[in-house]
Amino acid sequence: MAVRDPRSGGEPARVGWSFLRSPRWIGYFAMLLVFSIACVLLGNWQFERRAEARAEIARIDANYDAAPAPLSEELPRRDAFDEDAQKWRQLVVEGEYFGEPALARNRPGPQGVGSNLIQALRTSDGGVFFVDRGWVPVDGSAAEGDEFDASALPAPPDGPVSVVVRLRASEPAIPGRTTEGRTVASIELPELARMLGVAGEAYTGAYGMLVSEDPPGEHGVLPAKPERDEGPHLSYALQWYVFIVIAGIGVAYAARREYRGLNAGSAAVREQDRRIAERRRRRGPSDAEEEDALIDA
């Protein structure tokens, strides 16, 4: 509503943009600022996720199908592993499988939820390297029972074996989840070494996902090659910045509407109305306006 100036005979007084300094509009600007900061943080988070996905694609391209390297050359220290450089790298490990297998429970597979079969391998230099020999359709509760028949699990080859694996980092412990019988909540290598009684001999930085064995043995379902897909993170990141623009346009539109209401009848608003009418005249009637005219006629 326009403000009337009593000194001008009741003519509308020009308020201008001074209303933007009111507490109400300062609150609107503060909310816009907070919203913009949140959108920037969320957009940057999506950019970071995209960078992680692209780094994973680069590792797959560099390591997944590369020629296998000897274990001692690739992992000179048993407790060290550089995931950025060594994830998915292929190794050749010589030795013999021994002991009972462990089952990493609650793993998704082709037949639902099962377990990953983890087998210890005594290497030719006396170390112990853990090999993930694939997914098996055994849930954790079944494997924890006293009646579980371990002979039903795929058996590794007897005697000396040459194993090709792809490296993966030791998984972190899961809070609140414990080892139950032969099952573990995660492929946490120090815990597996403790279970087997080889804590001082085991490789605890990385384990290997089975690719092949010579001579071949039974194994579970081996995972497929990871997809080279960076996901929709770029579009999501840009979307958050678009939200800032939309919010800014909305605030600007609301401010312009209030300006016109407070300054109705002023010379500035009359000039704006004249320009709008002129643009409409040059543009001609819109389809909607023509349809309305036909209906009115």
Side-chain angles (χ1 to χ4, degrees), residues 196-269:
L196 202 59
V198 292
E201 309 165 74
Y203 285 82
T204 55
Y207 68 96
M209 296 176 62
L210 179 65
V211 176
S212 64
E213 296 168 324
D214 185 20
E218 299 174 353
H219 57 74
V221 179
L222 302 182
K225 183 176 181 178
E227 294 185 4
R228 298 179 68 264
D229 181 13
E230 67 179 51
H233 304 302
L234 178 60
S235 62
Y236 287 167
L238 297 177
Q239 175 180 284
W240 286 112
Y241 288 95
V242 170
F243 288 160
I244 297 175
V245 175
I246 293 173
I249 292 173
V251 171
Y253 178 76
R256 185 174 181 274
R257 287 286 301 271
E258 186 159 337
Y259 170 86
R260 289 178 60 81
L262 293 174
N263 295 275
S266 67
V269 172

Side-chain angles (χ1 to χ4, degrees), residues 101-104 107 115-119 131-136 153-156 208 218-220:
L103 292 168
R107 303 284 166 144
S115 303
N116 280 22
L117 188 64
I118 312 300
Q119 185 74 49
V131 178
D132 180 347
R133 303 188 65 251
W135 180 90
V136 291
L153 295 173
E218 299 174 353
H219 57 74

Side-chain angles (χ1 to χ4, degrees), residues 100-101 148-155 182 218:
E100 295 293 330
F148 177 71
D149 184 9
S151 64
L153 295 173
R182 67 174 63 249
E218 299 174 353

